[in-house]
Amino acid sequence: MKVEKVDATVADFDAHFEKLFAADDDGGKVKLLLFLADREPSSSLTWCPDCNVAEPVIYEKLESLGKDVVLLRAFVGDKPTWRDPAHPWRVDPRFGLKGVPTLLLWDASKGAAKGRLEDDEANVADKIDALLLLD
């Protein structure tokens, strides 16, 4: 089984999202969106400590799932960009982000999230397992 990771920014998100998530021809793949802080240029870490903790836990769970997964990693921008209350993903009713990291299990047939883990629970292995069971 394979985890396909696709990276997107605010600028190119819609194109990736439409290609990967809008159609229901997924061939049984689990579809997830992971909203993360941008990586710091000087390291492989993000400016968000919660993201740095959650990422390895999420990836480990996805690798051991036993199903094909499409993971769209959506980078919210630098800290000032993310803090703007008018950030596109904060105001988009499909996502309604309040914090990062946020992990969404996407239901392409309904065009909506089937489940979500907010920033305070996206690093909890049992919660990730429970979210993945919804698929």
Side-chain angles (χ1 to χ4, degrees), residues 30-108:
V30 177
K31 294 183 174 186
L32 296 157
L33 291 103
L34 177 57
F35 293 92
L36 296 164
D38 276 15
R39 301 214 184 278
E40 295 288 353
S42 60
S43 74
S44 63
L45 300 176
T46 74
W47 54 259
C48 166
D50 292 340
C51 295
N52 296 327
V53 171
E55 270 192 286
V57 179
I58 292 168
Y59 300 152
E60 180 182 323
K61 288 296 180 181
L62 296 182
E63 292 291 340
S64 65
L65 184 59
K67 296 181 181 178
D68 286 333
V69 175
V70 174
L71 177 66
L72 180 55
R73 298 188 300 187
F75 292 94
V76 301
D78 61 16
K79 196 180 288 190
T81 301
W82 170 241
R83 297 276 187 223
D84 181 351
H87 187 287
W89 296 328
R90 287 186 184 274
V91 299
D92 188 321
R94 296 174 299 176
F95 312 122
L97 290 187
K98 297 177 182 100
V100 288
T102 296
L103 181 64
L104 301 179
L105 176 63
W106 196 256
D107 184 338

